[in-house]
Amino acid sequence: MSQVRKNDHSLMKVLLGPVISEKATMVAEKNEQVVFQVIRDANKSDVKQAVELLFKVQVDSVQIVNQKGKPKRYGRFEGRRDHTKKAYVSLKPGQEINFEAEAN
């Protein structure tokens, strides 16, 4: 039976999903980083542990970006999109995350 740590369940909730955009693709090719959307109270060590737990890879470093929500208008009402947090994860050499294989 595999040993389950106490905080493994909370680490499963840290990553909300990968960011699929033109900028994220350029970063992945140029800097060999993967971009994830994470919960707003996550820190670098939480993200590192979550990626290593879910994808079975070794993480070299993590950079966190807080992105403020854009102000938007809905007719005559003004609002704001939610603030988000992104994590740029650098993997150790020889490591890679294949999202197509993980989905099956």
Side-chain angles (χ1 to χ4, degrees):
M1 189 167 151
S2 65
Q3 182 179 4
V4 177
R5 293 178 295 195
K6 181 180 176 184
N7 62 354
D8 280 352
H9 298 293
S10 63
L11 287 177
M12 296 282 207
K13 298 176 184 176
V14 170
L15 299 178
L16 298 176
V19 175
I20 308 299
S21 65
E22 191 172 342
K23 182 178 178 182
T25 305
M26 287 187 342
V27 166
E29 291 173 358
K30 184 177 178 185
N31 299 339
E32 297 178 3
Q33 291 180 325
V34 183
V35 185
F36 290 101
Q37 190 93 20
V38 296
I39 59 174
R40 290 193 33 206
D41 59 346
N43 56 27
K44 289 182 180 186
S45 63
D46 290 342
V47 173
K48 180 178 179 177
Q49 290 174 1
V51 170
E52 288 178 347
L53 175 72
L54 291 174
F55 297 105
K56 309 290 190 274
V57 294
Q58 295 176 344
V59 175
D60 190 28
S61 65
V62 177
Q63 287 83 32
I64 299 284
V65 175
N66 287 313
Q67 187 175 24
K68 293 192 186 264
K70 290 180 174 181
K72 291 290 183 180
R73 288 191 50 180
Y74 302 99
R76 62 184 177 145
F77 302 106
E78 292 186 12
R80 174 180 287 275
R81 289 191 180 159
D82 286 339
H83 302 307
T84 59
K85 187 178 260 193
K86 293 181 190 176
Y88 289 80
V89 178
S90 296
L91 302 175
K92 290 196 176 180
Q95 302 283 320
E96 70 176 23
I97 295 176
N98 189 359
F99 292 109
E100 292 88 22
E102 297 295 329
N104 294 331

